[in-house]
Amino acid sequence: MTEKEAKKEIMRRAKDISATLHVGKDGLDEGVLEELRTQLKAHRIVKVKVLPSTESSAADIAAALSLETSSVIADVRGNVIVLADKRTWESLSQKKF
């Protein structure tokens, strides 16, 4: 499966998931990062909503979250970020049909 197809598969799975983590005006603190790590470990795919009161853009926050949690950015649309853990990404990327 190509990288593009892997992203499509993750987005298909994330379609029915609601945002479970919100980044507000305080931005990224250790509590947000720890909660994201916990949710990625439990669910493998997590949606993060960036509230409009945040000073940074959603793309910048997505890059920081990905770097801090060793996850992969599947998509950033508006203020919603979809992240997948590395093992899910690798398994989908290496799958052959």
Side-chain angles (χ1 to χ4, degrees):
M1 186 178 280
T2 65
E3 187 174 306
K4 186 176 181 179
E5 291 170 335
K7 282 188 178 189
K8 281 184 179 181
E9 177 63 21
I10 289 173
M11 289 307 297
R12 186 189 65 76
R13 293 180 185 184
K15 181 179 161 188
D16 297 328
I17 300 172
S18 60
T20 56
L21 188 64
H22 297 273
V23 178
K25 64 181 178 182
D26 295 335
L28 299 176
D29 58 0
E30 191 56 39
V32 171
L33 295 174
E34 191 59 38
E35 181 62 26
L36 180 58
R37 286 184 194 106
T38 304
Q39 287 188 18
L40 280 170
K41 197 172 196 178
H43 304 293
R44 295 184 169 208
I45 299 173
V46 176
K47 271 190 185 176
V48 179
K49 176 122 179 171
V50 180
L51 301 180
S53 60
T54 307
E55 295 176 4
S56 301
S57 70
D60 293 339
I61 290 175
L65 287 173
S66 175
L67 182 67
E68 291 290 327
T69 60
S70 298
S71 58
V72 178
I73 303 169
D75 196 28
V76 178
R77 291 186 188 184
N79 289 336
V80 179
I81 303 165
V82 178
L83 296 170
D85 66 344
K86 288 256 189 215
R87 62 185 173 168
T88 302
W89 177 255
E90 290 170 0
S91 71
L92 286 175
S93 296
Q94 295 173 359
K95 197 177 261 188
K96 296 186 178 168
F97 293 98

